[in-house]
Amino acid sequence: MRDNTRQRILEAGAELIHRKGLNNTGINEVLQAAGVPKGSCCFDDEETFCVEIVDYFSRRFGEMARPIIEDKSLSPLKRLRKIFMVFHNHFKSHGYASSCPIGNLGQEMGDLKGSFRDKLAEYLNQQTDVVETLLSEAQHAADIEPDLDPRETAIFIIGAWHGAINRMKVIKNPEPLEIFYKLVFEAVLR
Amino acid sequence: MRDNTRQRILEAGAELIHRKGLNNTGINEVLQAAGVPKGSCCFDDEETFCVEIVDYFSRRFGEMARPIIEDKSLSPLKRLRKIFMVFHNHFKSHGYASSCPIGNLGQEMGDLKGSFRDKLAEYLNQQTDVVETLLSEAQHAADIEPDLDPRETAIFIIGAWHGAINRMKVIKNPEPLEIFYKLVFEAVLR
C-alpha cells in the first residue's frame, strides 16, 4: 500500500517536473495529481524526493534502452541511433517543448546538494555506459576507427545530445537533433 | 539616474542568477544586493527582467569575444579555442560549480514564454555566429576540410559545449571540458 502510494507520487511528480520544471512544481500539486491526500507524503524531504525522481527516470531509461542494446539484428551504430530516436520521437510528441528532465534538474539547481549531485552523476554515467558499450561493439566490428576512445567519445556524445535537446527546446524545432545525428555519425564516428 | 539603478539591478541579478539559478533568486534579494530600496524596481514584470538579463549576459559575451575574434595574430582555430578557454577559466574560478547562466535559464523554465524564448534563441545564435565566423575563416585558410558546413558545425559545437559544461557542473570537475576540446579540435574539425 505504502509502496503503491510512493509509486503514484513518483509517477505524478515525474510527469509534472518533466513538463514544468522542478522549481515550478509544488508538492501539493504532485499529491493532488497522484490522488494522494495531503499529509500522506512518504518522502522525508525534498532532496530524498528529488533523488528518487532521478532513480525513477533512470529505471525508465534502462527499461527503454535494454531491448535495443540487446537487439543483435541491428549493427551497434544502428542501435545507438535508435536509442536517440526513441527520445526524439518522445520530444516530437510533446511539440519539442520539453527536453531531458534529468538535464533540467541539474541545471535548475544553483550549486547542487551532495546526494542529489551524486545521483545526477550516476544517471549521466548510466547514459554514458550505454553509448560506450555500443561504441566498443562498433569498434570490434571495425565500424569505427580503432583510435577513438569509447569512454571519452561517449561522454562527448552524451554532452552533444544534451546541448542539442536544450536548443531544440528553446527554438521548438528538431533542427539541432538533425545536426547532432549528422555530425556524430558522419564526423565523430568515422 | 534611472539607467544607473537599472544597471545595478541587472548586475546584481545576473550575479545571483548565475550563482543560484533564476528560480532560487527572489526579486527582493536582487534589490537588496543592488542597494536599491523596495518599490524602486524599474522593470515592468519578471519576463521583462529576464529578457534584459539575457541581454546583459549577451553584451558581456560580445565584449569578451570581439577582441579575440579580431586578433589576427592567432589562427582562427586558436581564437576559437581561446574563447572557450575564457569561459573555462571563469568556471574554474568558481570551482566548476556554476555553468552557463543562459543555458540554465532555458532549462529552468518548463515550456518557455514567447519573448523570453526568442531572446534565448537570439543569444544562442549570437554564440553560433561567433563560432561560424571563425570556422569559415579556418576553412578559407584550409585549416579544416572544405566539406564541413560552418553553420551546422557551429550549432553542433555550441551544443556540445553546453552539454560539457552541464556535466562539469554536476561532477564539479573539468574532465568533460577537456574531452570537448579533444573531440572538437581533433575529430570534428579535421
Side-chain angles (χ1 to χ4, degrees), chain A residues 13-48:
Chain A
E15 164 61 22
L16 283 165
I17 289 170
H18 190 187
R19 196 148 43 82
K20 302 173 57 179
L22 176 66
N23 283 318
N24 292 316
T25 301
I27 184 65
N28 288 335
E29 195 182 358
V30 173
L31 296 178
Q32 196 181 5
V36 172
K38 281 187 202 185
S40 305
C41 185
C42 41
F43 295 94
D44 291 340
D45 53 33
E46 196 190 347
E47 197 176 341
T48 315

mmCIF file of all heavy atoms in Angstrom, chain A residues 13-48:
data_model
loop_
_atom_site.group_PDB
_atom_site.id
_atom_site.type_symbol
_atom_site.label_atom_id
_atom_site.label_comp_id
_atom_site.label_asym_id
_atom_site.label_seq_id
_atom_site.Cartn_x
_atom_site.Cartn_y
_atom_site.Cartn_z
ATOM 1 N N GLY A 13 4.875 13.104 -9.993
ATOM 2 C CA GLY A 13 5.953 14.089 -9.864
ATOM 3 C C GLY A 13 6.822 14.120 -11.103
ATOM 4 O O GLY A 13 7.177 15.189 -11.603
ATOM 5 N N ALA A 14 7.145 12.945 -11.626
ATOM 6 C CA ALA A 14 7.986 12.860 -12.819
ATOM 7 C C ALA A 14 7.316 13.567 -13.992
ATOM 8 O O ALA A 14 7.938 14.350 -14.716
ATOM 9 C CB ALA A 14 8.260 11.395 -13.160
ATOM 10 N N GLU A 15 6.023 13.309 -14.164
ATOM 11 C CA GLU A 15 5.275 13.924 -15.272
ATOM 12 C C GLU A 15 5.261 15.450 -15.127
ATOM 13 O O GLU A 15 5.542 16.189 -16.076
ATOM 14 C CB GLU A 15 3.844 13.346 -15.291
ATOM 15 C CG GLU A 15 2.822 14.113 -16.109
ATOM 16 C CD GLU A 15 3.162 14.206 -17.583
ATOM 17 O OE1 GLU A 15 3.929 13.366 -18.062
ATOM 18 O OE2 GLU A 15 2.681 15.165 -18.243
ATOM 19 N N LEU A 16 4.950 15.935 -13.930
ATOM 20 C CA LEU A 16 4.873 17.389 -13.711
ATOM 21 C C LEU A 16 6.240 18.055 -13.852
ATOM 22 O O LEU A 16 6.357 19.123 -14.466
ATOM 23 C CB LEU A 16 4.281 17.686 -12.323
ATOM 24 C CG LEU A 16 2.768 17.530 -12.224
ATOM 25 C CD1 LEU A 16 2.333 17.472 -10.760
ATOM 26 C CD2 LEU A 16 2.061 18.684 -12.943
ATOM 27 N N ILE A 17 7.264 17.430 -13.285
ATOM 28 C CA ILE A 17 8.607 18.018 -13.352
ATOM 29 C C ILE A 17 9.105 18.031 -14.784
ATOM 30 O O ILE A 17 9.723 18.995 -15.226
ATOM 31 C CB ILE A 17 9.582 17.237 -12.428
ATOM 32 C CG1 ILE A 17 9.240 17.538 -10.966
ATOM 33 C CG2 ILE A 17 11.030 17.593 -12.720
ATOM 34 C CD1 ILE A 17 9.957 16.666 -9.963
ATOM 35 N N HIS A 18 8.797 16.982 -15.526
ATOM 36 C CA HIS A 18 9.204 16.939 -16.928
ATOM 37 C C HIS A 18 8.565 18.095 -17.689
ATOM 38 O O HIS A 18 9.196 18.751 -18.507
ATOM 39 C CB HIS A 18 8.786 15.605 -17.550
ATOM 40 C CG HIS A 18 9.383 15.382 -18.910
ATOM 41 N ND1 HIS A 18 9.049 14.349 -19.717
ATOM 42 C CD2 HIS A 18 10.294 16.098 -19.605
ATOM 43 C CE1 HIS A 18 9.723 14.419 -20.841
ATOM 44 N NE2 HIS A 18 10.487 15.472 -20.799
ATOM 45 N N ARG A 19 7.306 18.354 -17.404
ATOM 46 C CA ARG A 19 6.562 19.348 -18.166
ATOM 47 C C ARG A 19 6.871 20.773 -17.712
ATOM 48 O O ARG A 19 7.034 21.673 -18.524
ATOM 49 C CB ARG A 19 5.053 19.059 -18.023
ATOM 50 C CG ARG A 19 4.169 19.740 -19.022
ATOM 51 C CD ARG A 19 2.937 18.905 -19.367
ATOM 52 N NE ARG A 19 2.297 18.287 -18.222
ATOM 53 C CZ ARG A 19 1.430 18.897 -17.406
ATOM 54 N NH1 ARG A 19 1.095 20.142 -17.611
ATOM 55 N NH2 ARG A 19 0.869 18.241 -16.395
ATOM 56 N N LYS A 20 6.978 20.987 -16.389
ATOM 57 C CA LYS A 20 7.043 22.350 -15.862
ATOM 58 C C LYS A 20 8.371 22.715 -15.218
ATOM 59 O O LYS A 20 8.594 23.883 -14.898
ATOM 60 C CB LYS A 20 5.945 22.530 -14.798
ATOM 61 C CG LYS A 20 4.549 22.268 -15.325
ATOM 62 C CD LYS A 20 3.524 22.290 -14.205
ATOM 63 C CE LYS A 20 3.541 23.606 -13.450
ATOM 64 N NZ LYS A 20 2.536 23.659 -12.382
ATOM 65 N N GLY A 21 9.223 21.740 -14.999
ATOM 66 C CA GLY A 21 10.463 22.027 -14.270
ATOM 67 C C GLY A 21 10.256 21.823 -12.777
ATOM 68 O O GLY A 21 9.151 21.974 -12.259
ATOM 69 N N LEU A 22 11.317 21.495 -12.090
ATOM 70 C CA LEU A 22 11.238 21.205 -10.659
ATOM 71 C C LEU A 22 10.768 22.410 -9.858
ATOM 72 O O LEU A 22 9.875 22.313 -9.005
ATOM 73 C CB LEU A 22 12.624 20.763 -10.155
ATOM 74 C CG LEU A 22 12.751 20.504 -8.649
ATOM 75 C CD1 LEU A 22 11.905 19.312 -8.240
ATOM 76 C CD2 LEU A 22 14.204 20.268 -8.270
ATOM 77 N N ASN A 23 11.365 23.562 -10.147
ATOM 78 C CA ASN A 23 11.080 24.733 -9.312
ATOM 79 C C ASN A 23 9.680 25.311 -9.525
ATOM 80 O O ASN A 23 9.229 26.126 -8.736
ATOM 81 C CB ASN A 23 12.146 25.809 -9.535
ATOM 82 C CG ASN A 23 13.433 25.469 -8.808
ATOM 83 O OD1 ASN A 23 13.404 25.022 -7.670
ATOM 84 N ND2 ASN A 23 14.567 25.653 -9.474
ATOM 85 N N ASN A 24 9.033 24.900 -10.608
ATOM 86 C CA ASN A 24 7.656 25.342 -10.830
ATOM 87 C C ASN A 24 6.644 24.296 -10.387
ATOM 88 O O ASN A 24 5.448 24.431 -10.641
ATOM 89 C CB ASN A 24 7.440 25.669 -12.318
ATOM 90 C CG ASN A 24 8.236 26.886 -12.733
ATOM 91 O OD1 ASN A 24 8.282 27.887 -12.028
ATOM 92 N ND2 ASN A 24 8.885 26.798 -13.884
ATOM 93 N N THR A 25 7.111 23.236 -9.766
ATOM 94 C CA THR A 25 6.225 22.151 -9.346
ATOM 95 C C THR A 25 6.154 22.109 -7.818
ATOM 96 O O THR A 25 7.174 21.912 -7.162
ATOM 97 C CB THR A 25 6.750 20.803 -9.885
ATOM 98 O OG1 THR A 25 6.825 20.866 -11.308
ATOM 99 C CG2 THR A 25 5.836 19.661 -9.481
ATOM 100 N N GLY A 26 4.981 22.297 -7.283
ATOM 101 C CA GLY A 26 4.809 22.250 -5.820
ATOM 102 C C GLY A 26 4.420 20.853 -5.369
ATOM 103 O O GLY A 26 3.808 20.094 -6.127
ATOM 104 N N ILE A 27 4.763 20.547 -4.139
ATOM 105 C CA ILE A 27 4.486 19.205 -3.620
ATOM 106 C C ILE A 27 2.970 18.947 -3.531
ATOM 107 O O ILE A 27 2.502 17.845 -3.846
ATOM 108 C CB ILE A 27 5.189 18.950 -2.259
ATOM 109 C CG1 ILE A 27 4.970 17.509 -1.777
ATOM 110 C CG2 ILE A 27 4.753 19.941 -1.182
ATOM 111 C CD1 ILE A 27 5.590 16.455 -2.639
ATOM 112 N N ASN A 28 2.196 19.979 -3.185
ATOM 113 C CA ASN A 28 0.743 19.779 -3.107
ATOM 114 C C ASN A 28 0.139 19.445 -4.467
ATOM 115 O O ASN A 28 -0.792 18.649 -4.575
ATOM 116 C CB ASN A 28 0.061 21.022 -2.525
ATOM 117 C CG ASN A 28 0.354 21.151 -1.039
ATOM 118 O OD1 ASN A 28 0.635 20.148 -0.372
ATOM 119 N ND2 ASN A 28 0.308 22.369 -0.531
ATOM 120 N N GLU A 29 0.709 20.077 -5.496
ATOM 121 C CA GLU A 29 0.270 19.805 -6.869
ATOM 122 C C GLU A 29 0.570 18.342 -7.233
ATOM 123 O O GLU A 29 -0.240 17.671 -7.884
ATOM 124 C CB GLU A 29 1.054 20.760 -7.767
ATOM 125 C CG GLU A 29 0.530 20.925 -9.160
ATOM 126 C CD GLU A 29 1.434 21.873 -9.948
ATOM 127 O OE1 GLU A 29 2.422 22.413 -9.377
ATOM 128 O OE2 GLU A 29 1.150 22.055 -11.147
ATOM 129 N N VAL A 30 1.744 17.882 -6.817
ATOM 130 C CA VAL A 30 2.127 16.490 -7.098
ATOM 131 C C VAL A 30 1.167 15.536 -6.390
ATOM 132 O O VAL A 30 0.653 14.584 -6.990
ATOM 133 C CB VAL A 30 3.585 16.209 -6.642
ATOM 134 C CG1 VAL A 30 3.921 14.724 -6.785
ATOM 135 C CG2 VAL A 30 4.578 17.052 -7.438
ATOM 136 N N LEU A 31 0.881 15.826 -5.105
ATOM 137 C CA LEU A 31 -0.007 14.942 -4.331
ATOM 138 C C LEU A 31 -1.403 14.922 -4.941
ATOM 139 O O LEU A 31 -2.026 13.866 -5.059
ATOM 140 C CB LEU A 31 -0.054 15.404 -2.868
ATOM 141 C CG LEU A 31 1.276 15.307 -2.104
ATOM 142 C CD1 LEU A 31 1.115 15.843 -0.689
ATOM 143 C CD2 LEU A 31 1.794 13.865 -2.072
ATOM 144 N N GLN A 32 -1.863 16.108 -5.354
ATOM 145 C CA GLN A 32 -3.189 16.192 -5.975
ATOM 146 C C GLN A 32 -3.238 15.373 -7.271
ATOM 147 O O GLN A 32 -4.168 14.600 -7.495
ATOM 148 C CB GLN A 32 -3.513 17.656 -6.270
ATOM 149 C CG GLN A 32 -4.999 17.880 -6.544
ATOM 150 C CD GLN A 32 -5.297 19.344 -6.862
ATOM 151 O OE1 GLN A 32 -4.391 20.173 -6.968
ATOM 152 N NE2 GLN A 32 -6.575 19.659 -7.028
ATOM 153 N N ALA A 33 -2.192 15.542 -8.110
ATOM 154 C CA ALA A 33 -2.145 14.789 -9.378
ATOM 155 C C ALA A 33 -2.067 13.292 -9.121
ATOM 156 O O ALA A 33 -2.566 12.490 -9.906
ATOM 157 C CB ALA A 33 -0.945 15.251 -10.206
ATOM 158 N N ALA A 34 -1.451 12.906 -8.001
ATOM 159 C CA ALA A 34 -1.311 11.483 -7.666
ATOM 160 C C ALA A 34 -2.551 10.944 -6.960
ATOM 161 O O ALA A 34 -2.663 9.745 -6.727
ATOM 162 C CB ALA A 34 -0.078 11.280 -6.784
ATOM 163 N N GLY A 35 -3.492 11.854 -6.624
ATOM 164 C CA GLY A 35 -4.686 11.436 -5.894
ATOM 165 C C GLY A 35 -4.363 10.990 -4.472
ATOM 166 O O GLY A 35 -5.014 10.096 -3.924
ATOM 167 N N VAL A 36 -3.369 11.616 -3.872
ATOM 168 C CA VAL A 36 -2.944 11.261 -2.518
ATOM 169 C C VAL A 36 -3.277 12.435 -1.601
ATOM 170 O O VAL A 36 -2.958 13.574 -1.917
ATOM 171 C CB VAL A 36 -1.418 10.981 -2.499
ATOM 172 C CG1 VAL A 36 -0.905 10.810 -1.082
ATOM 173 C CG2 VAL A 36 -1.093 9.761 -3.350
ATOM 174 N N PRO A 37 -3.944 12.155 -0.449
ATOM 175 C CA PRO A 37 -4.288 13.280 0.438
ATOM 176 C C PRO A 37 -3.038 13.944 1.015
ATOM 177 O O PRO A 37 -2.021 13.282 1.212
ATOM 178 C CB PRO A 37 -5.089 12.618 1.574
ATOM 179 C CG PRO A 37 -5.200 11.170 1.247
ATOM 180 C CD PRO A 37 -4.349 10.856 0.072
ATOM 181 N N LYS A 38 -3.145 15.267 1.250
ATOM 182 C CA LYS A 38 -2.060 15.972 1.929
ATOM 183 C C LYS A 38 -1.753 15.266 3.241
ATOM 184 O O LYS A 38 -2.635 14.784 3.921
ATOM 185 C CB LYS A 38 -2.479 17.411 2.271
ATOM 186 C CG LYS A 38 -2.416 18.358 1.101
ATOM 187 C CD LYS A 38 -2.669 19.794 1.569
ATOM 188 C CE LYS A 38 -3.134 20.639 0.400
ATOM 189 N NZ LYS A 38 -3.288 22.052 0.749
ATOM 190 N N GLY A 39 -0.521 15.229 3.616
ATOM 191 C CA GLY A 39 -0.149 14.571 4.870
ATOM 192 C C GLY A 39 0.215 13.122 4.657
ATOM 193 O O GLY A 39 0.743 12.467 5.547
ATOM 194 N N SER A 40 -0.084 12.597 3.455
ATOM 195 C CA SER A 40 0.267 11.199 3.171
ATOM 196 C C SER A 40 1.589 11.092 2.428
ATOM 197 O O SER A 40 1.944 10.023 1.942
ATOM 198 C CB SER A 40 -0.812 10.538 2.310
ATOM 199 O OG SER A 40 -2.050 10.659 2.920
ATOM 200 N N CYS A 41 2.286 12.197 2.297
ATOM 201 C CA CYS A 41 3.535 12.166 1.534
ATOM 202 C C CYS A 41 4.558 11.319 2.278
ATOM 203 O O CYS A 41 4.765 11.476 3.471
ATOM 204 C CB CYS A 41 4.074 13.570 1.334
ATOM 205 S SG CYS A 41 5.524 13.571 0.269
ATOM 206 N N CYS A 42 5.136 10.373 1.557
ATOM 207 C CA CYS A 42 6.008 9.414 2.223
ATOM 208 C C CYS A 42 7.479 9.644 1.900
ATOM 209 O O CYS A 42 8.274 8.707 1.890
ATOM 210 C CB CYS A 42 5.585 7.995 1.841
ATOM 211 S SG CYS A 42 5.159 7.832 0.102
ATOM 212 N N PHE A 43 7.846 10.890 1.632
ATOM 213 C CA PHE A 43 9.255 11.210 1.416
ATOM 214 C C PHE A 43 9.725 12.102 2.559
ATOM 215 O O PHE A 43 9.001 13.005 2.991
ATOM 216 C CB PHE A 43 9.443 11.912 0.071
ATOM 217 C CG PHE A 43 9.092 11.025 -1.090
ATOM 218 C CD1 PHE A 43 7.814 11.066 -1.651
ATOM 219 C CD2 PHE A 43 10.018 10.129 -1.595
ATOM 220 C CE1 PHE A 43 7.479 10.227 -2.700
ATOM 221 C CE2 PHE A 43 9.685 9.293 -2.641
ATOM 222 C CZ PHE A 43 8.408 9.336 -3.197
ATOM 223 N N ASP A 44 10.928 11.821 3.041
ATOM 224 C CA ASP A 44 11.433 12.553 4.203
ATOM 225 C C ASP A 44 11.585 14.042 3.926
ATOM 226 O O ASP A 44 11.234 14.882 4.736
ATOM 227 C CB ASP A 44 12.794 11.976 4.650
ATOM 228 C CG ASP A 44 12.625 10.581 5.227
ATOM 229 O OD1 ASP A 44 11.487 10.250 5.618
ATOM 230 O OD2 ASP A 44 13.614 9.824 5.258
ATOM 231 N N ASP A 45 12.154 14.373 2.766
ATOM 232 C CA ASP A 45 12.370 15.775 2.435
ATOM 233 C C ASP A 45 12.495 15.927 0.924
ATOM 234 O O ASP A 45 12.460 14.938 0.190
ATOM 235 C CB ASP A 45 13.609 16.326 3.161
ATOM 236 C CG ASP A 45 14.823 15.446 2.911
ATOM 237 O OD1 ASP A 45 14.927 14.864 1.804
ATOM 238 O OD2 ASP A 45 15.660 15.309 3.814
ATOM 239 N N GLU A 46 12.679 17.165 0.479
ATOM 240 C CA GLU A 46 12.712 17.432 -0.963
ATOM 241 C C GLU A 46 13.891 16.723 -1.619
ATOM 242 O O GLU A 46 13.774 16.215 -2.735
ATOM 243 C CB GLU A 46 12.798 18.943 -1.207
ATOM 244 C CG GLU A 46 12.450 19.306 -2.642
ATOM 245 C CD GLU A 46 12.768 20.759 -2.993
ATOM 246 O OE1 GLU A 46 13.022 21.555 -2.068
ATOM 247 O OE2 GLU A 46 12.772 21.065 -4.187
ATOM 248 N N GLU A 47 15.022 16.698 -0.922
ATOM 249 C CA GLU A 47 16.208 16.076 -1.514
ATOM 250 C C GLU A 47 15.966 14.582 -1.768
ATOM 251 O O GLU A 47 16.286 14.065 -2.836
ATOM 252 C CB GLU A 47 17.418 16.299 -0.591
ATOM 253 C CG GLU A 47 18.741 16.048 -1.305
ATOM 254 C CD GLU A 47 19.936 16.368 -0.406
ATOM 255 O OE1 GLU A 47 19.765 17.089 0.588
ATOM 256 O OE2 GLU A 47 21.039 15.876 -0.714
ATOM 257 N N THR A 48 15.362 13.895 -0.778
ATOM 258 C CA THR A 48 15.039 12.470 -0.949
ATOM 259 C C THR A 48 14.109 12.276 -2.138
ATOM 260 O O THR A 48 14.290 11.366 -2.949
ATOM 261 C CB THR A 48 14.322 11.921 0.313
ATOM 262 O OG1 THR A 48 15.019 12.374 1.456
ATOM 263 C CG2 THR A 48 14.257 10.426 0.305
#
